[in-house]
C-alpha cells in the first residue's frame, strides 16, 4: 500500500514538476548561460562514452548477426540488420541508459544534496522557483542535445558494424556492400523514429532524476538512496516506455 | 574553462549533430527527394502484391521515381507513382510490378513505349499489365517439367524402339533399304521441298526463315510462365498423339506399328513418289503442314497469345526470378 | 539612484516593514507534536527575539513564516497574507538566514550574493556589483568574494548567509541562530549588524537565538518557546527578573554538580 502511494506520488510530482518547468519556458533566453552549461554537461561530456559504447554495440551486433546468419548464407544482409537495429532500437535505448547513468545520477545527486543542505529551501524563500532555475535549463538542454548524441550513436554503431563485417573471417563483407545493403533497407524514417525515441527517453530520464532529487528528504544518507532510486526508476521507465513507444510508432511507418 | 569556450563547444557540437542528421537524411532517403519535385502517375493493378510505399520506379533498369502511395480504389489497387520531372513516359508505356529478389523486394518497371507517342501528364493513368506471382510460376514450372519428361520418354521410345518392337528409325531404315530406288526418286522431291523451305515457303520454311517468328519463339521459350497453361494442354495433346501412335492409330501409327499396314505400304511403296508429289502439291496432313499458310497462322496466333501473357516480364532491367530460372534451364 | 554616497547602495525606496501574525499554530510530524497552538504577533519594524532550548521547535516556526512548512492547524500571516500561499513570497520580500547557512555550494560567494538581484533583475550587473560588495564589506568579507563556500569556516558561512539576506533588501528578516558557532566578538558584531540593519531599512526582524546578551541588547520583545508552546512573551526588560521558574532556569542555568540535571530527566 505504501509503495503504491509512493509510486502514485512519484507520478504526480513528476507531472507537476514538468508543468511548472514548462510554465517558465519564457525565462529560458535569459537563462542561456545555465542552458549552455547544461548542454555542455549533458551533450558534450557524454559524447565519448556514447561513441565508445555505440561502436562496440554495432560491432557485437554485426558479429552475432554474422554468426547466426552464416547458417543461411545471408551474411550480406548484416548491413540491414545493424542499420535498422541501431537506428530503431539500440541507439536510442543506449543513449538513454547512458544518460540515466552518467547525467541523471549526477543531476539527482546535485539536487538531492541541495535539498538536504537546504539550498532548495533558500531558493524558495528567495522566490526563485527551483523548477525555473534548476529543472528548465536541464530539460531544454536535454531536448537539444539528445538527438545529437543519438545520431552519433547510430552512425558510430553502423561504422563499428562495418569494420567487424570486413575483418571477421566468417563474414568478410566489404564496407561498400555493407553500406549498400544498409542504405537500401534503412530509411530515414527509421532513424527519425529512433531520434524521437531517444528524445522522449532522455527527457523522461532527466525529468524523473530532477524530481527524485528535489524530493529527497532527510540527511546526507538519503542522497545516495535517491541516486540509486533515480537510476533504477529511469532504467525501468526507459524499457517500459520503449515497448509502448515502439507499439505506437510502428503503425506510423 | 571559461564560458565563451564552453558555449562555442556546445554550439559546434549542436551544429555537428544537425549536419549529421541532414547527411543521414540525404543518404538514406534519396527516393523522398522526388516527393517535392516531379509529377505523379496512377497505376491500377488487380493486386499490388508485395509493393509498398517508397519502392522504386524504374525504366529500363534506371530509377526514375518512387511509389508515393498505395491505396484501394473500388475493386482494384492503385499505386501513385512520383516520377522525376525530367523523365517522360509515353502514353503507351506499360507498368508492371517486378520482383527484384527472392526475398520480396519489388519495384515498378515501366517500359519505354513507342518513340513517337505523346508523353503522360501529371495525374494521368498509366497502362498496366498483371504479372503472376512467383509461387504460381514455380509450381507450374514443376508440373511442366514432369510432363515434358514423360512426353520426351514416350517420343524416344517411339523413335528408337523399346527392344521388342522396332522403333521408327529401324522401320525407316528397313523401308529405305527395301525401296532404295524409289527413295532415290523421292529424294529429288525432298530436295524440291527443302528448296521451298529455304525460300521461306510453307510453315516450316517460314519458321526457319522469318526472323520475327523466330524471335517470338525464342521469347516464348525464355518466358515459359505464360505458356504454362497452353503448354499443359499441348503436352497432353502430344502425349495423346504419342499414345495414338503407340496404339497404332492414325497414319503415322499405322506406318510405324501395324505390320499389315506396313505390308500395304510395302506394296504401295512404288507409289511413294505419288505421295511425295501429293505432299508437294499440299495435299494431306504433312503436305498441309509444309504448304498451307493457315497452319502457319494458327501457330503464329498461339505464339502471340503466349507472348502477350509474357509481356509483363519484358522489362530488361533486373534479373527476375523467372529470368534466372529460364536462363538456367535454357 | 541619487542617495548620498555615505549611505548604503541599497535602494532607498520606502518599502514598509510588514507585521507577522501567528494564530494558534500547531504542527505535527507524524505523531510528534512540534508546535502546540502557538499564538503571537510581531509588529512592523520590531525586533523580536525567540528563545528556547534545542528541539523546542524554533526553526520549524520560522519555516512556517516563510511558507516552507504548512501548518497542521492554525494560521500564519505576513502583512495580512497567508504565509503558506506562494503569492505571498512574490508580494513580500522575506529573507531567512538558515541555521546552517544554506549557501549554494556550486556558486562562489560573490555569485551567492548576486543570485537574488540577478534572478529578479533588480539592477544591472554594475549595480549588483555595488550592492554585493557593500554587503560583503559590512560583514568584513571582502576577501572571500571569489571563494567557494566550501573554503569558508563555519562563522564565515554564517556571515555570508547574512550578507546574502541583506542583498535581498527584505521587508521581513528572519535569523535562525545567527550567532551560534561564532566567537564572542563576532557574535557581538552580528548583534550590532542586526540592529543596524533594522535601523537603516525599517525591516521587521525575528531572531531565533539562545543568547541572553543578544536578546537583552537588541530585542524589543522576547518570546520563549519550550516544548512547542510559548511560555513567555514580553519586553526584553521583563526577562531580567522572570516570574516563571522554567524561564528563570532557562536563562540562568546553575551548574549544580551535586544534583546533576540529566539524572532527573523524566523519560
Ligand atoms: N522535517 C521534519 N520531520 C520530522 N521531524 C522534524 C522535522 N523538522 C523538525 N523536526 C522535529 O521537530 C523538532 C523541533 O525541531 P527544530 O525546530 O529544528 O528545533 P530547534 O528549536 O532546535 O530549531 C525536533 O524534535 C525535530 O526532530
Ligand atoms: Mg533550529
Amino acid at each position: 500500500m505504501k509503495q503504491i502511494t509512493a509510486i502514485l506520488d512519484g507520478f504526480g510530482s513528476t507531472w507537476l514538476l514538468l508543468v511548472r518547468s514548462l510554465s517558465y519556458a519564457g525565462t529560458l533566453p535569459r537563462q542561456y548561460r545555465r542552458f549552455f552549461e547544461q548542454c555542455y554537461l549533458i551533450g558534450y561530456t557524454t559524447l565519448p562514452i556514447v561513441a565508445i559504447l555505440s561502436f562496440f554495440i554495432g560491432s557485437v551486433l554485426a558479429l552475432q548477426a554474422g554468426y547466426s546468419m552464416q547458417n543461411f548464407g545471408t551474411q550480406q544482409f548484416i548491413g540491414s540488420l545493424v542499420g535498422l537495429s541501431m537506428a530503431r532500437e539500440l541507439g536510442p535505448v543506449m543513449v538513454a541508459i547512458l544518460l540515466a547513468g552518467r547525467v541523471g545520477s549526477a543531476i539527482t545527486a546535485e539536487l538531492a544534496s541541495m535539498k538536504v543542505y537546504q539550498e532548495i529551501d533558500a531558493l524558495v524563500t528567495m522566490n526563485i522557483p527551483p523548477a525555473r532555475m534548476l529543472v528548465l535549463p536541464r530539460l531544454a538542454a536535454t531536448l537539444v542535445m539528445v538527438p545529437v548524441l543519438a545520431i552519433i550513436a547510430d552512425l558510430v554503431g553502423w561504422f563499428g558494424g562495418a569494420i567487424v563485417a570486413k575483418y571477421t573471417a566468417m563474414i568478410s563483407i566489404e564496407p561498400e556492400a555493407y553500406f549498400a545493403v544498409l542504405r537500401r533497407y534503412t530509411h530515414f524514417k527509421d532513424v527519425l523514429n529512433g531520434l524521437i525515441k531517444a528524445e522522449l527517453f532522455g527527457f523522461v530520464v532527466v525529468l524523473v532524476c530532477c524530481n527524485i532529487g528535489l524530493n529527497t528528504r532527510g540527511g546526507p544518507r538519503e542522497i545516495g538512496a535517491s541516486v540509486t532510486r533515480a537510476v533504477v526508476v529511469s532504467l525501468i521507465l526507459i524499457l517500459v516506455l520503449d515497448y509502448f513507444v515502439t507499439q505506437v510508432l510502428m503503425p506510423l511507418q | 574553462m571559461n564560458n565563451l569556450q564552453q558555449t562555442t563547444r556546445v554550439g559546434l557540437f549542436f551544429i555537428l549533430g544537425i549536419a549529421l542528421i541532414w547527411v543521414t537524411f540525404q543518404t538514406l532517403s534519396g527516393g523522398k527527394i522526388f516527393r517535392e519535385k516531379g509529377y505523379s502517375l496512377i497505376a491500377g493493378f488487380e493486386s499490388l502484391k508485395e509493393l509498398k510505399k517508397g519502392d522504386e520506379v524504374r525504366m529500363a533498369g534506371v530509377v526514375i521515381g518512387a511509389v508515393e502511395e498505395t491505396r484501394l480504389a473500388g475493386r482494384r489497387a492503385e499505386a501513385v507513382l512520383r516520377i522525376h520531372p525530367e523523365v517522360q513516359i509515353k502514353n503507351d508505356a506499360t507498368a508492371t510490378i517486378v520482383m527484384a529478389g527472392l526475398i520480396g523486394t519489388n519495384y515498378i518497371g515501366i517500359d519505354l513505349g513507342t518513340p513517337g507517342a505523346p508523353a503522360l501528364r501529371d495525374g494521368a493513368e498509366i497502362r498496366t499489365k498483371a504479372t503472376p506471382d512467383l509461387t504460381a510460376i514455380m509450381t507450374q514450372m514443376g508440373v511442366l517439367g514432369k510432363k515434358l519428361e514423360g512426353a520426351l520418354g514416350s517420343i524416344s521410345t517411339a523413335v528408337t524402339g523399346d527392344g521388342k518392337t522396332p522403333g521408327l528409325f529401324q522401320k525407316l531404315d528397313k523401308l529405305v533399304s527395301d525401296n532404295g530406288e524409289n527413295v532415290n526418286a523421292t529424294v529429288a522431291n525432298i530436295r524440291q521441298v527443302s528448296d521451298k523451305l529455304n525460300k521461306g515457303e510453307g510453315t516450316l520454311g517460314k519458321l526457319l526463315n522469318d526472323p520475327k517468328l523466330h524471335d517470338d519463339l525464342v521469347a516464348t521459350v525464355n518466358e515459359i510462365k505464360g505458356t504454362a497453361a497452353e503448354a499443359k494442354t499441348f503436352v497432353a495433346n502430344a502425349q495423346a498423339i504419342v499414345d495414338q501412335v503407340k496404339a497404332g492409330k492414325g497414319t503415322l501409327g499405322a506406318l510405324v506399328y501395324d505390320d499389315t499396314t506396313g505390308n500395304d505400304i510395302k506394296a504401295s511403296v512404288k507409289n511413294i513418289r505419288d505421295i511425295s508429289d501429293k505432299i508437294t502439291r499440299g495435299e494431306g496432313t504433312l503436305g498441309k503442314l509444309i504448304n498451307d499458310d493457315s497452319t502457319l497462322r494458327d501457330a503464329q496466333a498461339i505464339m502471340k497469345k503466349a507472348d502477350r501473357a509474357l509481356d509483363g516480364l519484358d522489362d530488361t532491367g533486373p534479373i527476375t526470378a523467372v529470368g534466372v530460372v529460364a536462363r538456367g534451364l535454357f | 539612484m541619487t542617495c548620498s554616497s555615505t549611505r548604503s547602495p541599497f535602494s532607498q525606496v520606502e518599502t514598509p516593514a510588514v507585521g507577522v501574525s501567528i494564530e494558534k499554530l500547531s504542527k505535527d510530524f507524524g505523531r510528534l507534536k512540534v508546535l502546540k497552538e502557538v499564538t503571537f504577533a510581531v509588529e512592523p519594524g520590531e525586533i523580536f527575539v525567540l528563545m528556547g532550548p534545542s528541539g523546542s521547535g524554533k526553526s520549524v516556526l520560522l519555516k512556517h513564516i516563510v511558507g516552507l512548512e504548512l501548518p497542521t492547524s492554525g494560521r500564519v500571516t505576513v502583512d495580512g497574507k497567508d504565509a503558506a500561499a506562494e503569492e505571498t513570497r512574490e508580494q513580500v520580500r522575506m529573507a531567512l538566514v538558515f541555521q546552517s547557512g544554506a549557501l549554494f555550494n556550486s556558486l562562489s560567494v560573490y555569485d551567492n550574493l548576486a543570485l537574488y538581484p540577478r534572478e529578479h533583475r533588480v539592477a544591472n550587473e554594475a549595480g549588483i556589483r555595488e550592492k554585493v560588495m557593500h554587503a560583503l564589506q559590512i560583514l568584513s568579507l571582502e576577501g572571500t568574494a571569489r571563494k567557494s563556500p566550501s573554503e569558508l569556516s563555519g562563522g564565515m558561512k554564517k556571515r555570508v548567509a547574512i550578507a546574502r539576506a541583506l542583498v535581498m533588501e527584505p521587508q521581513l528578516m528572519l535569523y535562525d541562530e545567527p550567532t551560534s558557532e561564532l566567537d564572542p566578538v563576532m557574535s557581538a558584531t552580528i548583534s550590532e549588524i542586526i540592529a543596524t540593519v533594522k535601523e537603516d531599512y525599517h525591516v521587521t526582524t525575528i531572531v531565533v537565538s539562545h543568547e541572553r546578551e543578544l536578546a537583552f541588547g537588541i530585542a524589543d520583545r522576547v518570546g520563549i518557546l519550550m516544548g512547542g508552546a510559548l511560555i513567555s512573551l514580553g519586553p526584553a526588560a521583563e526577562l531580567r527578573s522572570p516570574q516563571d521558574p522554567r524561564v528563570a532556569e532557562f536563562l540562568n542555568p546553575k551548574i549544580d554538580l551535586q544534583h546533576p540535571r540529566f539524572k532527573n530527566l523524566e523519560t
Side-chain angles (χ1 to χ4, degrees), chain A residues 20 24 26-27 30-31 33-34 37 110 113-129 132-134 217, chain C residues 63 66-68 86 89-91 94-96 98-107 112-113 115-116 118-121 164 168:
Chain A
R20 284 227 175 105
Y24 297 115
T27 67
R30 60 188 176 88
Q31 298 203 59
R33 265 168 209 268
R34 276 184 210 124
E37 194 186 325
E110 186 180 348
S113 99
M114 287 183 80
K115 181 69 196 283
V116 165
Y117 294 111
Q118 294 190 303
E119 293 179 40
I120 302 290
D121 286 349
L123 280 179
V124 171
T125 59
M126 292 167 111
N127 193 25
I128 302 170
R132 183 179 82 194
M133 181 178 141
L134 300 173
R217 258 167 253 278
Chain C
K63 283 188 181 173
V66 291
L68 287 175
E86 254 177 77
R89 283 198 290 275
E90 286 163 22
Q91 289 156 3
M94 295 180 275
L96 169 57
F98 285 86
Q99 200 168 349
S100 61
L103 300 179
F104 303 118
N105 274 306
S106 57
L107 302 179
N112 259 280
L113 269 65
L115 183 69
Y116 180 88
R118 276 179 186 155
E119 282 296 311
H120 293 275
R121 291 193 279 191
R164 187 175 71 180
M168 288 172 67

Side-chain angles (χ1 to χ4, degrees), chain C residues 196-252:
Chain C
T196 318
V197 166
K198 185 246 159 184
E199 287 294 307
D200 285 0
Y201 311 118
H202 302 286
V203 60
T204 308
T205 308
I206 300 176
V207 187
V208 164
S209 176
H210 13 239
E211 211 177 321
R212 276 176 307 161
E213 278 67 34
L214 182 141
F216 295 141
I218 63 172
D220 294 321
R221 282 193 304 156
V222 177
I224 294 180
L225 198 63
M226 212 172 269
L230 201 64
I231 56 163
S232 157
L233 179 66
E238 280 180 14
L239 290 180
R240 295 192 187 271
S241 49
Q243 306 299 308
D244 192 321
R246 287 175 299 172
V247 178
E249 159 82 3
F250 175 69
L251 290 175
N252 297 298

Side-chain angles (χ1 to χ4, degrees), chain B residues 280-293:
Chain B
T280 332
R281 272 182 263 119
E283 288 167 31
T285 319
L286 201 54
K288 272 195 184 139
L289 189 66
I290 293 172
N291 291 300
D292 193 349
D293 275 351

Side-chain angles (χ1 to χ4, degrees), chain C residues 29 32 34 53-61 69 99 176-177:
Chain C
F29 287 111
L32 178 68
V34 177
S54 287
S56 58
K58 306 182 296 293
S59 298
V60 171
L61 182 63
E69 296 280 5
Q99 200 168 349
D176 196 350
E177 306 197 15

Side-chain angles (χ1 to χ4, degrees), chain A residues 31-68:
Chain A
Q31 298 203 59
Y32 72 95
R33 265 168 209 268
R34 276 184 210 124
F35 169 74
F36 276 115
E37 194 186 325
Q38 291 305 326
C39 281
Y40 184 78
L41 291 174
I42 292 170
Y44 194 86
T45 60
T46 315
L47 177 61
I49 181 98
V50 164
I52 292 169
L53 250 89
S54 48
F55 180 87
F56 283 103
I57 295 238
S59 308
V60 87
L61 205 56
L63 207 56
Q64 291 286 15
Y67 178 74
S68 53

Side-chain angles (χ1 to χ4, degrees), chain C residues 4-160:
Chain C
S4 67
S5 56
T6 54
R7 293 290 297 264
S8 81
F10 295 157
S11 81
Q12 299 299 301
V13 189
E14 281 300 313
T15 41
V18 293
V20 176
S21 154
I22 292 160
E23 294 155 30
K24 294 195 163 187
L25 173 66
S26 296
K27 178 69 179 179
D28 306 344
F29 287 111
R31 262 181 282 149
L32 178 68
K33 294 188 188 310
V34 177
L35 295 175
K36 298 162 192 160
E37 304 216 331
V38 176
T39 303
F40 70 94
V42 180
E43 301 302 320
E46 190 184 12
I47 295 184
F48 185 91
V49 175
L50 189 62
M51 300 179 79
S54 287
S56 58
K58 306 182 296 293
S59 298
V60 171
L61 182 63
L62 283 190
K63 283 188 181 173
H64 277 88
I65 296 172
V66 291
L68 287 175
E69 296 280 5
L70 302 181
T72 306
S73 71
R75 210 166 111 88
V76 180
T77 56
V78 176
D79 199 20
K81 302 170 186 85
D82 187 357
E86 254 177 77
E87 304 84 67
T88 312
R89 283 198 290 275
E90 286 163 22
Q91 289 156 3
V92 182
R93 282 196 310 282
M94 295 180 275
L96 169 57
V97 178
F98 285 86
Q99 200 168 349
S100 61
L103 300 179
F104 303 118
N105 274 306
S106 57
L107 302 179
S108 70
V109 167
Y110 181 91
D111 290 335
N112 259 280
L113 269 65
L115 183 69
Y116 180 88
R118 276 179 186 155
E119 282 296 311
H120 293 275
R121 291 193 279 191
V122 170
N124 61 16
E125 202 56 36
I128 289 171
R129 182 165 189 82
E130 207 183 339
K131 281 174 199 287
V132 169
M133 292 322 283
H134 180 76
L136 288 175
Q137 196 193 334
I138 292 177
L139 291 144
S140 21
L141 287 164
E142 296 96 322
T144 64
R146 296 271 143 241
K147 285 190 175 161
S148 134
S150 57
E151 299 171 70
L152 304 178
S153 71
M156 280 164 120
K157 278 187 190 159
K158 198 141 274 181
R159 276 142 67 204
V160 172

